[in-house]
Amino acid sequence: MIILGIDPGPEKCGFCVYDTETNKVIQSQKDLPVVETLTGIDIYAARADLVGIERVQSYGIPGSTLLRTSEVVGRLWQCSEALRLPTVLLYRREVLRGLDVTGKGNRDSLVRERLIEMHGGTRKIAQGTKKEPGPLYGVASHAWSALAVAVVAGLGVDDASP
């Protein structure tokens, strides 16, 4: 199954194309402008089986960044639905729960550590090198969050199947 994972932001998004059969990242972008993210959905629409988008959640009075990000989530969702791609919207806490990330500390680093653990155990194996790329080669910055969304979205689909 090919899953597009997206970590939206007000101006740029993390974007990841993940193959669940090989457990390998096909494509990742750490800071892709929103318009190019929409284009990425369109480009991969023929190959993708699912789109996972991290949705925003307010824990009080939302600021302008949160509101703009929620608008981006709507645009991404609308684009994937228009292309007739099944779409899963996940809150950050659902992604953390799906990866079994608990405890104190920087959640982004815990997510990165968990994904590395799931794909080989060490950074050297999971990411590899330019000469010998691992399954997560090229993933950086916001693409880690996008990968986490893709992995958890894929787990949800696998769990739902008979």
Side-chain angles (χ1 to χ4, degrees):
M1 173 182 292
I2 303 294
I3 302 174
L4 306 182
I6 304 171
D7 174 34
E11 296 170 10
K12 296 184 178 186
C13 302
F15 183 81
C16 187
V17 181
Y18 183 73
D19 185 345
T20 61
E21 291 180 23
T22 62
N23 291 327
K24 186 175 179 182
V25 172
I26 297 169
Q27 172 74 23
S28 73
Q29 295 288 325
K30 61 181 180 178
D31 288 318
L32 197 61
V34 173
V35 173
E36 291 180 33
T37 305
L38 293 165
T39 302
I41 294 172
D42 192 36
I43 288 170
Y44 284 98
R47 291 179 57 196
D49 298 299
L50 181 69
V51 177
I53 303 169
E54 187 174 309
R55 67 188 331 180
V56 298
Q57 184 166 9
S58 174
Y59 292 100
I61 300 172
S64 64
T65 301
L66 184 72
L67 293 172
R68 289 195 336 261
T69 302
S70 68
E71 292 168 355
V72 170
V73 170
R75 290 177 67 191
L76 296 168
W77 187 14
Q78 183 180 29
C79 176
S80 63
E81 291 287 317
L83 294 168
R84 303 207 189 293
L85 289 168
T87 306
V88 176
L89 297 173
L90 297 166
Y91 289 112
R92 176 76 169 164
R93 70 182 187 300
E94 293 172 318
V95 173
L96 295 172
R97 190 175 333 131
L99 292 175
D100 197 28
V101 172
T102 59
K104 297 179 181 176
N106 182 327
R107 298 298 173 126
D108 289 340
S109 65
L110 293 173
V111 165
R112 187 171 45 251
E113 287 172 18
R114 178 68 176 127
L115 290 169
I116 287 170
E117 179 184 309
M118 292 171 70
H119 292 87
T122 67
R123 189 176 202 117
K124 185 175 182 180
I125 294 170
Q127 286 193 290
T129 62
K130 186 173 185 178
K131 197 172 192 177
E132 294 181 35
L136 306 183
Y137 182 75
V139 179
S141 188
H142 293 285
W144 284 108
S145 294
L147 173 59
V149 170
V151 169
V152 171
L155 291 173
V157 171
D158 291 344
D159 291 345
S161 57

